Amino acid sequence: MIVAERKPIKQILEMIEPYAKVAIVGCRGCVAICSAGGDREVEILASALRLARKNNGKPLETVEKTFTRQCDPEYLTPLADLKEEVEAVISLACGVGVNLASELYPDLKIYPGVNTTFYGANPALGKWEEMCRGCGDCILDLTGGICPIARCAKNLLNGPCGGSQNGKCEISPDTPCVWQLIYDRLKARGELEKLAQIWAPKNWIPAGYGGPRKRERSDLELNKN
Protein backbone atom coordinates (compact mmCIF):
# COMPACT_ATOMS: atom_id res chain seq x y z
CA MET A 1 0.00 0.00 0.00
CA ILE A 2 1.01 3.62 -0.44
CA VAL A 3 1.90 5.32 2.84
CA ALA A 4 1.47 9.04 3.43
CA GLU A 5 1.43 11.55 6.26
CA ARG A 6 -0.46 14.80 6.61
CA LYS A 7 1.32 18.01 5.71
CA PRO A 8 1.84 20.56 8.51
CA ILE A 9 -1.23 22.71 9.18
CA LYS A 10 0.81 25.85 8.55
CA GLN A 11 1.72 24.69 5.06
CA ILE A 12 -1.89 23.84 4.20
CA LEU A 13 -3.07 27.20 5.52
CA GLU A 14 -0.61 28.92 3.19
CA MET A 15 -2.05 27.02 0.21
CA ILE A 16 -5.63 28.09 0.92
CA GLU A 17 -4.91 31.58 2.25
CA PRO A 18 -6.82 33.40 -0.55
CA TYR A 19 -9.97 31.28 -0.22
CA ALA A 20 -13.04 31.55 2.00
CA LYS A 21 -14.60 28.18 1.18
CA VAL A 22 -12.69 24.96 0.50
CA ALA A 23 -13.45 21.26 0.29
CA ILE A 24 -11.46 18.69 2.25
CA VAL A 25 -11.63 15.46 0.26
CA GLY A 26 -10.41 12.19 1.75
CA CYS A 27 -9.81 8.76 0.28
CA ARG A 28 -10.86 5.40 1.73
CA GLY A 29 -7.94 3.65 0.06
CA CYS A 30 -4.34 3.44 1.26
CA VAL A 31 -4.26 6.79 3.05
CA ALA A 32 -7.25 5.79 5.18
CA ILE A 33 -5.49 2.61 6.28
CA CYS A 34 -2.36 4.53 7.33
CA SER A 35 -4.48 7.13 9.15
CA ALA A 36 -3.57 10.03 6.89
CA GLY A 37 -6.63 10.69 4.74
CA GLY A 38 -9.77 8.79 5.73
CA ASP A 39 -13.08 10.08 7.11
CA ARG A 40 -11.66 10.82 10.54
CA GLU A 41 -8.65 12.69 9.16
CA VAL A 42 -10.90 14.79 6.92
CA GLU A 43 -12.95 15.84 9.93
CA ILE A 44 -9.90 16.61 12.06
CA LEU A 45 -8.19 18.66 9.34
CA ALA A 46 -11.32 20.64 8.51
CA SER A 47 -11.81 21.50 12.19
CA ALA A 48 -8.17 22.50 12.62
CA LEU A 49 -8.24 24.74 9.55
CA ARG A 50 -11.46 26.47 10.58
CA LEU A 51 -10.13 27.12 14.08
CA ALA A 52 -6.81 28.47 12.80
CA ARG A 53 -8.51 30.78 10.34
CA LYS A 54 -11.00 31.98 12.96
CA ASN A 55 -8.13 32.84 15.29
CA ASN A 56 -6.54 34.81 12.46
CA GLY A 57 -9.72 36.78 11.88
CA LYS A 58 -10.37 35.23 8.49
CA PRO A 59 -13.14 32.61 8.89
CA LEU A 60 -13.13 29.57 6.65
CA GLU A 61 -16.07 27.50 5.47
CA THR A 62 -15.37 23.85 4.69
CA VAL A 63 -17.10 21.07 2.79
CA GLU A 64 -16.04 17.59 3.88
CA LYS A 65 -16.21 14.50 1.68
CA THR A 66 -14.45 11.16 1.43
CA PHE A 67 -14.33 9.16 -1.81
CA THR A 68 -13.92 5.41 -2.15
CA ARG A 69 -10.72 6.02 -4.10
CA GLN A 70 -9.09 8.94 -5.86
CA CYS A 71 -6.94 6.93 -8.28
CA ASP A 72 -9.90 5.89 -10.49
CA PRO A 73 -11.88 8.40 -12.58
CA GLU A 74 -15.23 6.81 -11.75
CA TYR A 75 -14.86 7.70 -8.08
CA LEU A 76 -13.86 11.31 -8.78
CA THR A 77 -17.05 12.38 -10.56
CA PRO A 78 -18.40 14.20 -7.45
CA LEU A 79 -15.62 16.74 -7.98
CA ALA A 80 -17.64 18.13 -10.88
CA ASP A 81 -20.28 19.34 -8.42
CA LEU A 82 -17.69 20.88 -6.12
CA LYS A 83 -16.52 23.23 -8.87
CA GLU A 84 -19.58 25.40 -8.29
CA GLU A 85 -19.56 25.02 -4.52
CA VAL A 86 -16.01 25.77 -3.37
CA GLU A 87 -13.00 27.83 -4.41
CA ALA A 88 -10.39 25.14 -3.86
CA VAL A 89 -9.93 21.51 -2.78
CA ILE A 90 -7.50 19.98 -0.33
CA SER A 91 -7.05 16.34 -1.32
CA LEU A 92 -5.89 13.89 1.33
CA ALA A 93 -5.20 11.23 -1.30
CA CYS A 94 -1.70 10.19 -2.28
CA GLY A 95 0.11 12.05 -5.04
CA VAL A 96 -1.45 9.73 -7.63
CA GLY A 97 -4.93 10.88 -6.64
CA VAL A 98 -3.99 14.55 -6.71
CA ASN A 99 -2.41 14.13 -10.16
CA LEU A 100 -5.43 12.34 -11.61
CA ALA A 101 -7.99 14.70 -10.08
CA SER A 102 -6.09 17.73 -11.35
CA GLU A 103 -5.91 16.22 -14.83
CA LEU A 104 -9.62 15.41 -14.96
CA TYR A 105 -10.70 18.76 -13.50
CA PRO A 106 -8.00 21.26 -14.54
CA ASP A 107 -10.18 24.27 -13.74
CA LEU A 108 -10.59 23.16 -10.12
CA LYS A 109 -7.76 24.20 -7.82
CA ILE A 110 -6.68 21.02 -6.09
CA TYR A 111 -3.93 21.05 -3.47
CA PRO A 112 -2.20 18.15 -1.67
CA GLY A 113 -2.92 17.73 2.00
CA VAL A 114 -0.49 14.86 2.57
CA ASN A 115 3.08 13.94 1.72
CA THR A 116 3.31 10.59 -0.07
CA THR A 117 6.26 8.77 1.46
CA PHE A 118 6.65 5.13 0.42
CA TYR A 119 5.12 1.76 -0.48
CA GLY A 120 4.75 -0.13 2.76
CA ALA A 121 3.27 -3.01 4.70
CA ASN A 122 1.29 -2.85 7.94
CA PRO A 123 3.02 -5.45 10.15
CA ALA A 124 1.38 -4.23 13.36
CA LEU A 125 -1.30 -1.82 14.49
CA GLY A 126 -0.20 1.76 13.82
CA LYS A 127 3.07 0.71 12.17
CA TRP A 128 4.10 0.84 8.50
CA GLU A 129 7.38 -0.25 6.96
CA GLU A 130 8.76 0.37 3.47
CA MET A 131 9.15 -2.92 1.62
CA CYS A 132 9.00 -2.08 -2.12
CA ARG A 133 10.50 0.68 -4.29
CA GLY A 134 8.45 -0.06 -7.41
CA CYS A 135 11.65 -0.47 -9.43
CA GLY A 136 9.97 -2.42 -12.24
CA ASP A 137 12.57 -5.21 -12.22
CA CYS A 138 11.65 -7.44 -9.27
CA ILE A 139 14.32 -9.77 -7.85
CA LEU A 140 12.40 -11.14 -4.86
CA ASP A 141 12.69 -14.67 -6.27
CA LEU A 142 16.44 -14.45 -5.69
CA THR A 143 16.37 -12.83 -2.24
CA GLY A 144 13.85 -14.90 -0.35
CA GLY A 145 11.07 -12.35 -0.77
CA ILE A 146 13.07 -9.56 0.92
CA CYS A 147 13.79 -6.45 -1.18
CA PRO A 148 17.33 -5.02 -0.90
CA ILE A 149 16.41 -2.09 -3.13
CA ALA A 150 13.83 -0.72 -0.71
CA ARG A 151 15.24 -2.03 2.54
CA CYS A 152 18.99 -1.44 2.15
CA ALA A 153 20.05 2.13 2.93
CA LYS A 154 22.45 1.96 -0.02
CA ASN A 155 20.24 -0.13 -2.36
CA LEU A 156 23.06 -2.66 -2.57
CA LEU A 157 23.13 -5.85 -4.58
CA ASN A 158 25.60 -8.69 -3.96
CA GLY A 159 25.64 -8.58 -0.20
CA PRO A 160 26.17 -6.12 2.65
CA CYS A 161 28.52 -3.16 2.84
CA GLY A 162 31.41 -2.83 5.28
CA GLY A 163 29.26 -0.84 7.67
CA SER A 164 27.10 -3.80 8.59
CA GLN A 165 27.94 -5.10 12.05
CA ASN A 166 26.35 -7.90 14.06
CA GLY A 167 23.39 -8.08 11.70
CA LYS A 168 22.58 -4.37 12.00
CA CYS A 169 22.78 -1.51 9.49
CA GLU A 170 25.23 1.29 10.20
CA ILE A 171 22.48 3.92 9.95
CA SER A 172 20.88 2.76 13.22
CA PRO A 173 21.31 -0.01 15.80
CA ASP A 174 17.56 -0.58 15.49
CA THR A 175 17.72 -1.23 11.74
CA PRO A 176 18.54 -4.79 10.68
CA CYS A 177 20.92 -5.30 7.79
CA VAL A 178 18.66 -6.48 5.01
CA TRP A 179 21.40 -8.68 3.61
CA GLN A 180 21.65 -10.49 6.92
CA LEU A 181 17.89 -11.05 6.72
CA ILE A 182 18.23 -12.32 3.14
CA TYR A 183 21.06 -14.68 4.12
CA ASP A 184 19.11 -16.08 7.05
CA ARG A 185 15.97 -16.55 4.94
CA LEU A 186 17.78 -18.31 2.08
CA LYS A 187 19.70 -20.51 4.52
CA ALA A 188 16.46 -21.58 6.19
CA ARG A 189 15.02 -22.41 2.76
CA GLY A 190 18.09 -24.32 1.64
CA GLU A 191 18.66 -21.80 -1.17
CA LEU A 192 22.00 -20.23 -0.29
CA GLU A 193 23.30 -21.10 -3.75
CA LYS A 194 21.36 -18.08 -5.01
CA LEU A 195 23.91 -15.85 -3.29
CA ALA A 196 26.80 -17.51 -5.14
CA GLN A 197 26.02 -15.71 -8.37
CA ILE A 198 27.27 -12.19 -9.00
CA TRP A 199 24.45 -9.89 -10.07
CA ALA A 200 25.10 -7.31 -12.75
CA PRO A 201 24.24 -3.65 -12.04
CA LYS A 202 20.50 -3.29 -11.81
CA ASN A 203 18.52 -2.24 -14.84
CA TRP A 204 16.85 1.00 -13.74
CA ILE A 205 15.11 1.65 -17.06
CA PRO A 206 11.76 0.14 -15.94
CA ALA A 207 11.86 2.38 -12.86
CA GLY A 208 11.23 5.53 -14.80
CA TYR A 209 13.48 5.91 -17.83
CA GLY A 210 11.83 7.71 -20.72
CA GLY A 211 9.06 9.43 -18.79
CA PRO A 212 6.11 8.25 -16.72
CA ARG A 213 5.49 4.51 -16.73
CA LYS A 214 2.27 3.14 -18.19
CA ARG A 215 0.61 -0.24 -18.44
CA GLU A 216 -2.33 -1.25 -20.58
CA ARG A 217 -4.14 -4.56 -20.76
CA SER A 218 -4.96 -5.69 -24.27
CA ASP A 219 -8.29 -7.26 -25.24
CA LEU A 220 -6.45 -10.59 -25.42
CA GLU A 221 -5.28 -10.28 -21.82
CA LEU A 222 -8.78 -9.34 -20.69
CA ASN A 223 -10.22 -12.41 -22.41
CA LYS A 224 -7.65 -14.67 -20.76
CA ASN A 225 -8.76 -13.43 -17.37
Side-chain angles (χ1 to χ4, degrees), residues 108-122:
L108 183 59
K109 297 173 181 176
I110 302 174
Y111 301 102
V114 303
N115 291 319
T116 305
T117 51
F118 58 85
Y119 308 152
N122 182 202

Side-chain angles (χ1 to χ4, degrees), residues 47-79:
S47 178
L49 293 176
R50 289 195 305 267
L51 180 60
R53 287 282 292 265
K54 181 179 179 181
N55 291 338
N56 290 334
K58 193 175 181 180
L60 177 70
E61 185 177 353
T62 61
V63 174
E64 300 155 41
K65 296 182 180 293
T66 305
F67 299 162
T68 300
R69 288 198 298 273
Q70 291 193 42
C71 54
D72 288 328
E74 62 185 294
Y75 296 111
L76 289 171
T77 54
L79 285 176

Side-chain angles (χ1 to χ4, degrees), residues 24-213:
I24 314 297
V25 180
C27 176
R28 295 193 178 100
C30 299
V31 291
I33 298 173
C34 67
S35 303
D39 293 272
R40 180 172 177 271
E41 290 72 41
V42 168
E43 182 180 351
I44 291 172
L45 177 58
S47 178
L49 293 176
R50 289 195 305 267
L51 180 60
R53 287 282 292 265
K54 181 179 179 181
N55 291 338
N56 290 334
K58 193 175 181 180
L60 177 70
E61 185 177 353
T62 61
V63 174
E64 300 155 41
K65 296 182 180 293
T66 305
F67 299 162
T68 300
R69 288 198 298 273
Q70 291 193 42
C71 54
D72 288 328
E74 62 185 294
Y75 296 111
L76 289 171
T77 54
L79 285 176
D81 298 327
L82 287 177
K83 290 192 296 183
E84 306 301 326
E85 190 176 354
V86 300
E87 299 170 88
V89 172
I90 294 294
S91 170
L92 296 187
C94 69
V96 174
V98 176
N99 269 272
L100 181 59
S102 298
E103 183 172 322
L104 294 173
Y105 301 94
D107 52 344
L108 183 59
K109 297 173 181 176
I110 302 174
Y111 301 102
V114 303
N115 291 319
T116 305
T117 51
F118 58 85
Y119 308 152
N122 182 202
L125 184 64
K127 181 180 181 181
W128 293 271
E129 296 179 358
E130 183 174 18
M131 292 189 173
C132 177
R133 190 62 58 83
C135 70
D137 182 21
C138 189
I139 59 170
L140 292 180
D141 58 310
L142 302 174
T143 58
I146 302 172
C147 179
I149 304 304
R151 300 173 66 179
C152 172
K154 299 176 181 178
N155 313 134
L156 291 180
L157 298 176
N158 298 304
C161 69
S164 172
Q165 298 292 327
N166 301 315
K168 299 296 183 180
C169 177
E170 64 182 319
I171 66 170
S172 167
D174 298 322
T175 302
C177 170
V178 71
W179 278 103
Q180 182 68 55
L181 297 179
I182 291 171
Y183 177 87
D184 292 342
R185 175 74 58 79
L186 292 178
K187 182 178 180 181
R189 290 183 174 186
E191 298 179 339
L192 276 179
E193 72 278 0
K194 291 184 176 181
L195 295 182
Q197 61 180 299
I198 302 300
W199 298 340
K202 189 168 179 61
N203 176 16
W204 292 105
I205 290 178
Y209 174 83
R213 288 171 281 180

